[in-house]
Amino acid sequence: MITVLLGVLAMVLGGSGIWSRHAPQDRPEGQFAMPAALSVASSAPQAVTLEPFSELKYKHIVRQAYDYSCGSAALVTILNYHLGIAVTEQQSMEGMMAFGEKDKIIERRGFSLLDMKRYLASLGVDSAGFKAELPDLLTLAEPAIVPIDYAGFKHFVVLRGVRDGLVFLADPSAGNITFALSEFATLWDRNTLFIAYPPKGHAPAALLALSDQELGVVDMDRVRDRGLLRAPDIQPQMERLLNGMGGTWIHKQ
């Protein structure tokens, strides 16, 4: 019975085309047509673009190319999507090898914050490292590279910001992820922050800034009744359809 009702509901909402007054059309990948029955402003289907989860998860993040390159990927994420400076991960690794502590990089098979600082200086970008506490994260105006220690594994991620008790991270290996502030406190290695500042006269791209709708976290004082999408009233359509099939619409109280 549940399967039948779900199938009927799918037809009502336009899945089968029974209620559509428009012929189906080929659309670009990632788009689908909203049925006329759900359209509030127009009787014609409206094209809606959906972003694949795989792309959304790594949006504005440079994925690390190697097991040891989380530092360079985190740095290039800052350069590309916050400072608006186009650099590839390969270029950043070559730059840190040239301006950083080459012998130590080879020995530890990874880059340090000092290597990043020296490389950024070669690009004319000022940067600095800080010791901070959890309350300091609430006042950050710039994204920061932070080291974390997860199950003994050292890793660099980009801290995008904190909102409503959640820490938003751009992780070169795991994508956009969040932690509760209390959990992040157990992972944060030595309470270290590393911040790169936009060059003078250079407006930052600021693509790493948190949006109001970031991953479902919404400031409730910004929500208004008129902005809410309400469920369509499908009862009349269901009644007509079931009557035509010899069935009966049951009103639930």
Side-chain angles (χ1 to χ4, degrees), residues 122-164:
S122 74
L123 300 178
V125 176
D126 291 331
S127 61
F130 302 91
K131 287 290 185 181
E133 302 297 333
L134 289 178
D136 299 322
L137 302 183
L138 304 177
T139 64
L140 281 179
E142 309 272 353
I145 295 177
V146 296
I148 61 174
D149 188 338
Y150 187 73
F153 176 68
K154 304 289 186 179
H155 190 49
F156 282 122
V157 297
V158 177
L159 191 153
R160 299 175 55 208
V162 180
R163 175 170 293 180
D164 295 338

Coordinates of all heavy atoms in Angstrom, one line a residue, residues 122-164:
S122 N 58.3 35.6 -0.7 CA 58.8 35.7 -2.1 C 57.7 36.2 -3.1 O 58.0 36.7 -4.2 CB 59.4 34.3 -2.6 OG 58.3 33.4 -2.8
L123 N 56.5 36.0 -2.7 CA 55.3 36.4 -3.5 C 54.8 37.8 -3.1 O 53.9 38.3 -3.7 CB 54.1 35.5 -3.4 CG 54.4 34.0 -3.8 CD1 53.1 33.2 -3.5 CD2 54.8 33.9 -5.3
G124 N 55.5 38.4 -2.1 CA 55.1 39.7 -1.6 C 53.9 39.7 -0.7 O 53.2 40.7 -0.5
V125 N 53.7 38.5 -0.1 CA 52.5 38.3 0.8 C 53.0 38.3 2.3 O 53.9 37.4 2.6 CB 51.8 37.0 0.5 CG1 50.6 36.8 1.5 CG2 51.2 37.1 -0.9
D126 N 52.5 39.1 3.1 CA 52.8 39.1 4.6 C 52.1 38.0 5.3 O 50.9 37.7 4.9 CB 52.5 40.4 5.2 CG 53.4 41.6 4.8 OD1 54.6 41.3 4.4 OD2 53.0 42.7 4.7
S127 N 52.7 37.3 6.2 CA 52.0 36.3 7.0 C 52.6 36.2 8.4 O 53.7 36.8 8.6 CB 52.2 34.9 6.3 OG 53.6 34.6 6.2
A128 N 51.9 35.6 9.3 CA 52.4 35.5 10.7 C 51.7 34.3 11.3 O 50.6 33.9 11.0 CB 52.1 36.8 11.4
G129 N 52.5 33.8 12.3 CA 51.9 32.7 13.1 C 51.6 33.2 14.5 O 52.2 34.1 15.0
F130 N 50.6 32.6 15.1 CA 50.1 33.0 16.4 C 49.8 31.8 17.3 O 49.5 30.8 16.9 CB 48.8 33.9 16.2 CG 48.9 35.1 15.4 CD1 48.7 35.0 14.0 CD2 49.3 36.3 15.9 CE1 48.8 36.1 13.2 CE2 49.4 37.4 15.1 CZ 49.1 37.3 13.7
K131 N 49.9 32.1 18.6 CA 49.3 31.2 19.6 C 48.0 31.8 20.0 O 47.8 33.0 20.3 CB 50.2 31.1 20.8 CG 51.5 30.4 20.6 CD 51.2 28.9 20.5 CE 52.6 28.1 20.4 NZ 52.3 26.6 20.2
A132 N 47.0 30.9 20.1 CA 45.6 31.4 20.3 C 44.8 30.5 21.2 O 45.3 29.4 21.5 CB 44.9 31.6 19.0
E133 N 43.7 31.0 21.7 CA 42.8 30.2 22.5 C 41.4 30.1 21.7 O 41.2 30.8 20.8 CB 42.6 30.8 23.9 CG 43.9 31.0 24.7 CD 44.5 29.7 25.0 OE1 43.8 28.6 25.1 OE2 45.8 29.6 25.2
L134 N 40.6 29.2 22.2 CA 39.3 29.0 21.5 C 38.5 30.3 21.3 O 38.0 30.6 20.3 CB 38.5 28.0 22.2 CG 38.9 26.5 22.1 CD1 38.0 25.6 22.9 CD2 39.0 26.1 20.7
P135 N 38.4 31.2 22.4 CA 37.7 32.4 22.2 C 38.3 33.3 21.0 O 37.5 34.1 20.4 CB 37.8 33.1 23.5 CG 38.0 32.0 24.5 CD 38.9 31.0 23.8
D136 N 39.6 33.2 20.8 CA 40.2 34.0 19.7 C 39.6 33.6 18.3 O 39.6 34.4 17.4 CB 41.7 33.8 19.7 CG 42.3 34.3 21.0 OD1 41.8 35.3 21.6 OD2 43.3 33.6 21.5
L137 N 39.2 32.3 18.2 CA 38.8 31.9 16.9 C 37.4 32.6 16.5 O 37.1 32.7 15.3 CB 38.5 30.4 16.9 CG 39.7 29.5 17.3 CD1 39.4 28.0 17.2 CD2 40.9 29.8 16.4
L138 N 36.7 33.0 17.5 CA 35.4 33.6 17.2 C 35.6 35.0 16.6 O 34.6 35.6 16.0 CB 34.6 33.7 18.5 CG 34.3 32.4 19.3 CD1 33.6 32.7 20.6 CD2 33.5 31.5 18.4
T139 N 36.8 35.6 16.8 CA 37.0 37.0 16.3 C 37.8 37.0 15.0 O 38.2 38.1 14.6 CB 37.7 37.8 17.4 OG1 39.0 37.2 17.7 CG2 36.8 37.8 18.7
L140 N 38.2 35.9 14.5 CA 39.0 35.8 13.3 C 38.4 36.5 12.1 O 37.2 36.2 11.8 CB 39.4 34.4 12.9 CG 40.5 33.7 13.7 CD1 40.7 32.3 13.2 CD2 41.8 34.5 13.6
A141 N 39.1 37.4 11.5 CA 38.6 38.1 10.3 C 39.2 37.5 9.0 O 38.7 37.8 7.9 CB 39.0 39.6 10.3
E142 N 40.1 36.6 9.1 CA 40.8 35.9 8.0 C 40.8 34.4 8.2 O 40.8 33.9 9.3 CB 42.2 36.4 7.9 CG 42.5 37.9 7.9 CD 42.4 38.5 6.5 OE1 42.2 37.7 5.5 OE2 42.4 39.7 6.4
P143 N 40.7 33.6 7.1 CA 40.9 32.2 7.3 C 42.3 31.9 7.7 O 43.2 32.7 7.4 CB 40.6 31.6 5.9 CG 40.8 32.8 5.0 CD 40.5 34.0 5.7
A144 N 42.6 30.9 8.4 CA 43.9 30.6 8.9 C 44.2 29.1 8.7 O 43.3 28.2 8.7 CB 43.9 30.9 10.4
I145 N 45.5 28.8 8.5 CA 46.0 27.4 8.4 C 46.2 27.0 9.9 O 46.9 27.7 10.6 CB 47.2 27.3 7.6 CG1 46.9 27.7 6.1 CG2 47.8 25.9 7.7 CD1 48.1 27.7 5.2
V146 N 45.7 25.8 10.2 CA 45.9 25.3 11.6 C 46.4 23.9 11.5 O 45.9 23.1 10.6 CB 44.6 25.4 12.4 CG1 44.2 26.8 12.6 CG2 43.5 24.6 11.8
P147 N 47.3 23.5 12.4 CA 47.7 22.1 12.4 C 46.8 21.3 13.4 O 46.4 21.9 14.4 CB 49.1 22.2 13.0 CG 49.1 23.4 13.9 CD 48.1 24.4 13.2
I148 N 46.4 20.1 13.0 CA 45.6 19.3 13.9 C 46.3 18.0 14.0 O 47.1 17.5 13.2 CB 44.2 19.1 13.3 CG1 44.2 18.4 12.0 CG2 43.4 20.4 13.2 CD1 42.8 18.0 11.5
D149 N 46.0 17.3 15.1 CA 46.6 16.0 15.4 C 45.4 15.0 15.6 O 44.8 15.1 16.7 CB 47.5 16.1 16.7 CG 48.3 14.8 17.0 OD1 47.8 13.8 16.4 OD2 49.3 14.9 17.7
Y150 N 45.2 14.2 14.7 CA 44.1 13.3 14.7 C 44.6 11.9 14.8 O 45.2 11.3 13.8 CB 43.2 13.4 13.5 CG 41.9 12.6 13.6 CD1 40.9 13.0 14.4 CD2 41.8 11.5 12.8 CE1 39.7 12.2 14.5 CE2 40.6 10.7 12.8 CZ 39.6 11.1 13.7 OH 38.4 10.4 13.8
A151 N 44.4 11.2 16.0 CA 44.9 9.8 16.2 C 46.4 9.7 15.9 O 46.8 8.7 15.3 CB 44.1 8.9 15.3
G152 N 47.2 10.7 16.3 CA 48.6 10.7 16.1 C 49.0 11.1 14.7 O 50.2 11.1 14.4
F153 N 48.1 11.5 13.8 CA 48.4 11.9 12.5 C 48.4 13.4 12.4 O 47.4 14.1 12.7 CB 47.3 11.3 11.5 CG 47.5 11.7 10.1 CD1 48.6 11.3 9.3 CD2 46.5 12.6 9.5 CE1 48.7 11.7 8.0 CE2 46.7 13.0 8.2 CZ 47.8 12.5 7.4
K154 N 49.5 14.0 12.0 CA 49.7 15.4 11.9 C 49.1 15.9 10.5 O 49.4 15.3 9.5 CB 51.2 15.8 12.0 CG 51.8 15.4 13.3 CD 51.3 16.1 14.5 CE 52.1 15.8 15.7 NZ 51.7 16.5 16.9
H155 N 48.4 17.0 10.5 CA 47.7 17.4 9.3 C 47.5 18.9 9.3 O 47.3 19.5 10.4 CB 46.4 16.6 9.3 CG 45.6 16.8 8.0 ND1 46.2 16.6 6.7 CD2 44.3 17.1 7.7 CE1 45.3 16.7 5.8 NE2 44.2 17.1 6.3
F156 N 47.6 19.5 8.2 CA 47.2 21.0 8.0 C 45.9 21.1 7.4 O 45.6 20.5 6.4 CB 48.3 21.7 7.2 CG 49.6 22.0 7.9 CD1 50.8 21.5 7.5 CD2 49.5 22.8 9.1 CE1 52.0 21.8 8.1 CE2 50.7 23.1 9.7 CZ 51.9 22.6 9.3
V157 N 45.0 22.0 7.9 CA 43.7 22.3 7.4 C 43.6 23.8 7.4 O 44.3 24.5 8.1 CB 42.6 21.6 8.1 CG1 42.7 20.1 8.0 CG2 42.6 22.1 9.6
V158 N 42.6 24.3 6.7 CA 42.2 25.7 6.7 C 41.0 25.9 7.6 O 39.9 25.4 7.3 CB 42.0 26.3 5.3 CG1 41.6 27.7 5.3 CG2 43.2 26.1 4.4
L159 N 41.1 26.8 8.6 CA 40.0 27.1 9.4 C 39.3 28.3 8.8 O 39.8 29.4 8.7 CB 40.5 27.4 10.8 CG 39.4 27.6 11.9 CD1 40.0 27.3 13.3 CD2 38.8 29.0 11.9
R160 N 38.1 28.1 8.3 CA 37.3 29.1 7.7 C 36.6 30.0 8.6 O 36.3 31.2 8.3 CB 36.3 28.5 6.7 CG 37.0 27.6 5.6 CD 35.9 26.9 4.7 NE 35.0 27.9 4.2 CZ 33.8 27.6 3.9 NH1 33.3 26.4 4.1 NH2 33.0 28.5 3.4
G161 N 36.2 29.5 9.8 CA 35.5 30.3 10.7 C 34.7 29.4 11.7 O 34.7 28.2 11.6
V162 N 34.1 30.1 12.7 CA 33.3 29.4 13.7 C 32.0 30.0 13.8 O 31.8 31.3 13.8 CB 34.0 29.5 15.1 CG1 33.2 28.8 16.2 CG2 35.4 28.9 15.1
R163 N 30.9 29.2 13.8 CA 29.6 29.7 13.9 C 28.7 28.7 14.7 O 28.7 27.5 14.4 CB 29.0 29.9 12.5 CG 27.5 30.4 12.6 CD 27.0 30.8 11.2 NE 27.7 32.0 10.8 CZ 27.5 32.6 9.6 NH1 26.6 32.1 8.8 NH2 28.1 33.7 9.3
D164 N 28.0 29.3 15.7 CA 27.0 28.5 16.4 C 27.6 27.2 17.0 O 27.0 26.1 17.0 CB 25.8 28.1 15.6 CG 25.0 29.3 15.1 OD1 25.1 30.4 15.8 OD2 24.3 29.3 14.1

